Amino acid sequence: MSSKTPLLEVIALDAADAEGAQAGGADRLELVADMAQDGLTPSVETLRDVLSATDLPVRVMLRDNGSFAIGDLEGLRADTARLIDAGAREFVFGFLTVDSEIDLDACETLIKEVDGLPWTFHRAIDRTRDPVRAYDQLASLGCDTVLAAGHPNGVASGLSVLQRLAQRESGPELLVGGGLRAQQVHLLRAGGVRGFHVGSAVRPGGWQAAVDAETVRTWVDLVKN
């Protein structure tokens, strides 16, 4: 499962973030809006601005509310079509049922919309009853990446689950993020993790400030050297 090539993905809110992430050496962006709700679908205009500002791969969030339950599924389908028309070629989504299981129906509806484009199942997995079992379900859904902290409270609480996921021989790539701290990278790398995802960690000025290229560069060194 685990790629031998290290990867650093940075959360971007706009073109300035994209420029900072690329200048710092990031490998990929996750484009979202409204981090007060942990990341929602960005506008078409923002996507266009970001695609003009960077040549990094951009994974675009499909999420219309602050929970992990599906909201307006038809609205998300329409958003997906508009974003693809605007140039989106990679996506991020994930939904749970009221029983904290993967919402297969909602996911499969959006899988049809993205029509073979690569996608990440995001941190909804951390709120499933059994993340390891959920991971096996996701392999059959066809996502190429799973973003996980291993626990709803973040990486510090989820290390044991992350180590179990990283040891799997097949399935999607594991991308670790959610309160990720620099001092955790060495341990995770030693356990086989190669993908890392950061947001606030590369914004010394907080979410109101842009991604800082120098801080991204520090993370690139951590992840790759």
Side-chain angles (χ1 to χ4, degrees):
M1 176 201 72
S2 185
S3 168
K4 293 181 180 178
T5 305
L7 179 140
L8 180 68
E9 180 180 270
V10 172
I11 296 174
L13 297 172
D14 54 27
D17 285 348
E19 290 167 356
Q22 180 159 348
D27 299 295
R28 189 169 73 200
L29 303 177
E30 180 191 75
L31 181 61
V32 307
D34 197 355
M35 281 307 297
Q37 297 194 71
D38 292 325
L40 302 181
T41 305
S43 69
V44 165
E45 293 74 21
T46 299
L47 172 66
R48 288 189 175 126
D49 288 346
V50 166
L51 292 177
S52 296
T54 182
D55 53 14
L56 291 178
V58 179
R59 295 224 162 177
V60 183
M61 180 65 71
L62 298 173
R63 185 167 178 252
D64 66 355
N65 69 84
S67 80
F68 292 108
I70 190 68
D72 176 5
L73 184 55
E74 289 306 306
L76 281 174
R77 289 181 64 196
D79 285 343
T80 305
R82 283 192 290 268
L83 290 162
I84 290 173
D85 285 346
R89 293 296 177 266
E90 304 183 32
F91 288 95
V92 183
F93 56 89
F95 306 101
L96 302 182
T97 67
V98 293
D99 297 320
S100 298
E101 303 287 354
I102 293 169
D103 188 335
L104 296 173
D105 290 342
C107 289
E108 286 169 354
T109 296
L110 287 189
I111 288 166
K112 288 176 185 172
E113 289 297 324
V114 304
D115 194 23
L117 295 174
W119 62 282
T120 298
F121 188 96
H122 60 50
R123 283 197 58 206
I125 191 173
D126 294 330
R127 288 166 172 78
T128 57
R129 292 182 176 187
D130 182 347
V132 177
R133 182 169 61 83
Y135 194 92
D136 291 336
Q137 281 184 287
L138 292 172
S140 67
L141 276 181
C143 61
D144 69 353
T145 303
V146 174
L147 171 62
H151 192 278
N153 292 341
V155 171
S157 301
L159 287 170
S160 62
V161 170
L162 292 172
Q163 287 168 339
R164 288 175 67 191
L165 294 178
Q167 289 164 8
R168 298 179 101 60
E169 299 275 325
S170 61
E173 294 288 336
L174 175 62
L175 183 67
V176 172
L180 178 65
R181 296 181 179 179
Q183 58 265 39
Q184 294 162 335
V185 172
H186 179 75
L187 176 65
L188 289 162
R189 285 184 61 184
V193 175
R194 294 292 176 267
F196 296 89
H197 168 96
V198 290
S200 59
V202 292
R203 296 169 185 270
W207 283 106
Q208 302 308 311
V211 166
D212 179 69
E214 281 301 318
T215 309
V216 173
R217 201 165 288 123
T218 301
W219 274 87
V220 170
D221 287 341
L222 269 176
V223 166
K224 300 194 177 188
N225 297 323

